[in-house]
Amino acid sequence: AGRAMLLFPRHRRMMSLFARRLPHLIALTAVGFASLRATDIPLTPIEELARRAEVVVRGSVASIEALRDGAGRPFPRLELTVAETWKGPSTNRLTVVQGSAVLGQRQVRVLGEPEFRLGEDAVVFAVFNPAGEAVTLDLARGKFSVKTNAITGQLTALSDGAKVSGGVALPGQAPVTLAELRERVKGGRQ
């Protein structure tokens, strides 16, 4: 009992210190969340993406390779095997370039850019850069990952721009069926 009494004053001092600093911790946390929120990019409606895109395709990622541009900067080039063309010229392959890449020991990351995985089923909204290469429209918002819903068996799509780390949808962002996405693209592409 005597030992507990010796520790008690220390605990009381620590609690007092914590209580005095708690408002500062709360304020710093709030500022941190506010600044995180300030960097969020508003999600572009599907119909707007379709209108602005030069090409919209659904396909699977057949290859991803890291290259260097004329200045020696790494960049990835990926090849999609196209299953459906929803807008733009019909094609069986689409080559997409990005700014993020890993080449040897050098890594470059563009925040907000979509990630592609080999064999992944995806819908890509793209425009062509001055070099004639396809790039995703509005960074990650221009790429939808296609998955099978485990309950309904339907194919669904969720924009990479609506996800946080780990592929979890942000609040208020739900996958749409692939059929609905296709219909919204074809209806909004005037």
Side-chain angles (χ1 to χ4, degrees), residues 4-188:
M5 293 301 285
L6 291 175
L7 293 176
F8 184 72
R10 275 193 200 148
H11 288 146
R12 197 163 66 184
R13 280 192 305 263
M14 286 174 34
M15 290 304 291
S16 175
L17 179 64
F18 179 75
R20 283 191 312 239
R21 294 201 175 159
L22 184 59
H24 300 287
L25 290 171
I26 291 171
L28 287 172
T29 303
V31 168
F33 282 123
S35 63
L36 174 65
R37 203 66 197 135
T39 61
D40 287 351
I41 299 170
L43 298 178
T44 309
I46 292 168
E47 294 79 6
E48 175 70 13
L49 284 171
R51 187 184 65 70
R52 291 179 32 224
E54 294 177 45
V55 64
V56 181
V57 299
R58 174 184 171 214
S60 63
V61 180
S63 67
I64 302 172
E65 62 181 326
L67 305 169
R68 287 191 188 278
D69 66 12
R73 293 178 299 248
F75 73 95
R77 180 172 63 193
L78 57 110
E79 191 93 13
L80 287 171
T81 300
V82 177
E84 302 176 69
T85 301
W86 296 351
K87 182 179 180 182
S90 189
T91 182
N92 61 354
R93 307 276 286 175
L94 179 69
T95 302
V96 178
V97 296
Q98 293 187 284
S100 298
V102 176
L103 190 59
Q105 297 296 319
R106 189 153 182 198
Q107 179 176 3
V108 176
R109 181 78 182 129
V110 175
L111 294 175
E113 195 169 60
E115 293 183 26
F116 288 90
R117 292 180 315 282
L118 204 55
E120 177 182 18
D121 189 1
V123 173
V124 176
F125 293 73
V127 293
F128 294 96
N129 65 20
E133 303 160 318
V135 294
T136 56
L137 182 62
D138 286 357
L139 297 170
R141 184 66 176 141
K143 182 223 173 192
F144 285 70
S145 297
V146 178
K147 302 199 182 304
T148 303
N149 181 302
I151 297 169
T152 65
Q154 288 185 306
L155 290 175
T156 61
L158 179 63
S159 169
D160 279 18
K163 298 180 206 173
V164 294
S165 292
V168 178
L170 290 169
Q173 301 301 313
V176 296
T177 65
L178 189 63
E180 179 187 345
L181 179 62
R182 182 185 302 113
E183 195 57 40
R184 289 174 70 183
V185 167
K186 290 186 175 187

